[in-house]
Amino acid sequence: MISKTIQEQEPEPPSRGLPLLNDAFIAPQADALSFPRLISKPLHQKIITLPEGPNRRNSEGLIKPSARSNAFRKRFFPNVSAAKWSDWRWQSANRIKTLDALQRFFPASDDERAALSHPEGALPMSVTPYYLSLIDPDNPAHALRRCMIPVRAERVLGPGEAADPLAEEHDSPAPGLVHRYPDRVLFLATGYCAAYCRYCTRSRAVGDAGALRPSRMRWEKAIRYIEAHPEVRDVLISGGDALTMAEEKLDWLLSRVARIPHVEFARIGSKTPAVLPQRITRSLVKMLKRHHPLWLSLHFTHPDELTPECCQALNRLADAGIPLGSQTVLLSGVNDDAETLKALFHGLLKNRVRPYYLYQCDPIMGSGHFRTPVSRGLEIMSSLRGYTTGYAVPTYVVDAPGGGGKIPLFPDVVAGREGGDLLLRNYEGNVYRYPDAANAPGLANAPGLANAPDAANAPDAANAPGLAKAPDMAKAPAREAR
Ligand code: SF4
């Protein structure tokens, strides 16, 4: 059976095409402010039904709904079966995209109402019923709610913010293709996502019915570019969210990329297991398995996303032998504390997903309410490094505005040098000696060492926290590898 993409079923409204205005909002209307609470009432919205294929449910192996999902479904969708709820097409077709639709589940805050009353030119809102069931209806500051429901701050243009802060358009040799690093490319296969994250780096382009629509003609141009560049060995297929595409299209694209002799492997970027785990059907996984070596770069924000449904989806992917990695954006008031991130990273590892990047939030337009100081990120990294499994410690990176690429940031670990010894600060702040290879070729130019303060002149090293407590540095034992 040919499955349809949601893009084919219903085009998304245009995304951020209009200038941001700080005064783009008018005061919410009185009747909107006094909207009655409807949380306890079943929905009276038109529920979109989709035709059943004869054996579709059985052949796909539906993701089993959790008790929480079932309770939510019975409350708000009393006429929808558990099987229908677990059908990703039903979830996609019934996404919550307007203020009215949202308020059938819970009253929007004044801020959310004001933002949703004037969606023109903004990144669209789109939340699957499943993901909405995870949101706290009584707390506008709830982490998952802030990630999905727009507020007025999105329209406030802060200093240094831009629609395309990473200058992806500048490094785009073909429509929807970004070639920034020497040996790999980013292939923006679609502009569609099951849910739109309010902090999305590509909010200028996703949710748009035009520019990144999955079109064979556009893809062919990008493929021809890759074919002509033998240095490209790694293709990251993203968007938008590549796993929202019809299996046949994704299969075609993966097969086409695999036919390019110099491409060693492909990766897919996706938030689908977090926002629409029902999409990870057995049939999709079977198709993906045919394209090894294939890696998945997933996107998780908060431990609340690791639900029983999500874990089933992750385990299906891992059982298929697909290496899973996760990227997380550091977001103020959402996950900018060590305990939340530790819970997320531990939860991911338990599900065979390696957290590999923690991103400083990109300065897209209207992101001021999400961005944390870099010092906060470094502080969090200091409280992870050494205190938990190395696999649970991602690399903290800033994607340099203007197109500089990812730059890793580390808590200060090089305390200085003394003679031939390098002074290194451990996770507790204690300084240890490492007998460095003094005559190693290129030492003077080694990154990070050339500028390391000489111990003799380094007040830092002398007064480094923990230095006085350090056991005899000359005899400092080698630390256990992590
Ligand atoms: S899923 Fe990815 S591409 Fe889509 S809105 Fe979220 S961050 Fe952006």
Side-chain angles (χ1 to χ4, degrees), residues 39-92:
I39 185 99
S40 58
K41 294 185 185 172
L43 274 184
H44 297 296
Q45 73 174 34
K46 187 177 169 217
I47 296 171
I48 298 174
T49 52
L50 296 168
E52 288 285 351
N55 296 313
R56 197 171 76 198
R57 279 187 218 157
N58 291 343
S59 65
E60 288 190 344
L62 297 180
I63 294 280
K64 192 168 167 243
S66 64
R68 181 183 181 125
S69 273
N70 277 332
F72 186 88
R73 173 180 58 82
K74 285 178 186 160
R75 188 173 195 179
F76 292 108
F77 299 94
N79 300 320
V80 170
S81 67
K84 186 66 84 181
W85 170 270
S86 301
D87 184 331
W88 70 277
R89 297 171 188 84
W90 183 88
Q91 286 285 335
S92 301

Side-chain angles (χ1 to χ4, degrees), residues 383-418:
S383 54
L384 294 176
R385 186 177 63 90
Y387 291 96
T388 188
T389 320
Y391 280 152
V393 184
T395 304
Y396 176 43
V397 292
V398 169
D399 220 330
K406 295 179 194 69
I407 300 176
L409 298 173
F410 302 98
D412 194 12
V413 293
V414 179
R417 192 181 297 170
E418 197 171 81

Side-chain angles (χ1 to χ4, degrees), residues 193 195-197 199-201 206 239-241 271 299:
C193 303
Y196 293 110
C197 314
Y199 49 86
C200 175
T201 298
V206 298
D241 193 325
K271 192 172 171 71
H299 169 193

Side-chain angles (χ1 to χ4, degrees), residues 315-333:
N315 281 298
R316 271 187 191 178
L317 292 165
D319 285 349
I322 302 171
L324 306 175
S326 168
Q327 315 185 353
T328 296
V329 181
L330 184 63
L331 298 168
S332 175

Side-chain angles (χ1 to χ4, degrees), residues 209-228:
L212 293 180
R213 187 177 276 278
S215 118
R216 175 95 169 251
M217 202 186 296
R218 178 173 73 77
W219 287 1
E220 287 284 7
K221 284 185 189 158
I223 287 165
R224 279 200 294 276
Y225 175 87
I226 300 170
E227 282 173 333

Side-chain angles (χ1 to χ4, degrees), residues 239-257:
D241 193 325
L243 287 188
T244 61
M245 295 195 298
E247 268 166 50
E248 296 79 6
K249 284 188 179 175
L250 186 53
D251 192 18
W252 183 91
L253 182 56
L254 288 167
S255 306
R256 188 70 187 79
V257 167

Side-chain angles (χ1 to χ4, degrees), residues 134-163:
L134 309 180
I135 284 178
D136 183 344
D138 299 319
N139 180 13
H142 179 236
L144 304 194
R145 185 161 165 174
R146 289 196 57 224
C147 291
M148 290 293 152
I149 315 292
V151 291
R152 282 173 295 186
E154 281 185 25
R155 298 297 188 96
V156 178
L157 180 60
E161 293 177 353

